[in-house]
Amino acid sequence: SGNIYKPESTFQAFQQSQFEKKNNESESDYTDVQSAITTLNSGLRLSDPVQWRTNLEKSFDADHFMKWLAINTTMLNWDTYGRMAHNYYLYHVAGKGLLWIPWDNNECMFNRSMNNTSPYAISLATTTSNWPLIRYLMDDPDYNARYKQYMKEFTEQVFTSEKMDELFTKYHSMISPYVIGPDAVEQGKYTHLTSGAAFTMALESLKQHVVTQNMAAAEFLK
């Protein structure tokens, strides 16, 4: 029953046109997202960080966001909040505030000339206040510590070469007959592949991507 939004917003300021409702369209109540944005950008962030966090977490599930941010940044995703003001939903969970829901992750584990393989990108140090959900939370020692802890858990327990190589190989083998094999349906206008070799080489590229990102994360987390 809570509001569901598909925003096109950086969270710098509330503009109703940037928060498309996916339900409750006939109701003009946007107070939940207005409250979250006002609190996020409040001067309490600097004058009273403890109260700022308390207020923020009444309207926005910040811990959940930090977990997503750590995972999303480690995997690398250029088409996401922090570079683009879209590809997420917000759902108002009673008692927890707005919940961040990732959307359209087809550009993850892919570097489009963003130089994101350095530990500096992993640290988000170059992200500006144009993206306050990242910058302001990363500037807060409490949220920064959560970011690092979630990244550590993700790289040590989930995003390991052993586990990811197994997944990559499994699904590469599963779809290969339908991409470059005898039952290939990825033809003509339905493919972005330049050759069958490109599909085959992508498997090793994905495996190396995990190694590279984990090395960057380990350097950052020292």
Side-chain angles (χ1 to χ4, degrees), residues 155-187:
T155 54
E156 292 181 355
Q157 301 173 21
V158 180
F159 203 62
T160 67
S161 287
E162 181 181 7
K163 290 184 177 180
M164 297 309 297
D165 285 3
E166 182 180 353
L167 284 176
F168 293 150
T169 301
K170 174 183 177 181
Y171 291 117
H172 189 274
S173 299
M174 180 184 295
I175 67 174
S176 183
Y178 309 100
V179 179
I180 59 172
D183 299 313
V185 293
E186 296 286 322
Q187 304 293 335

Side-chain angles (χ1 to χ4, degrees), residues 81-93:
Y81 182 87
R83 298 182 185 89
M84 306 289 176
H86 60 203
N87 284 344
Y88 64 96
Y89 283 82
L90 295 170
Y91 175 59
H92 187 179
V93 181

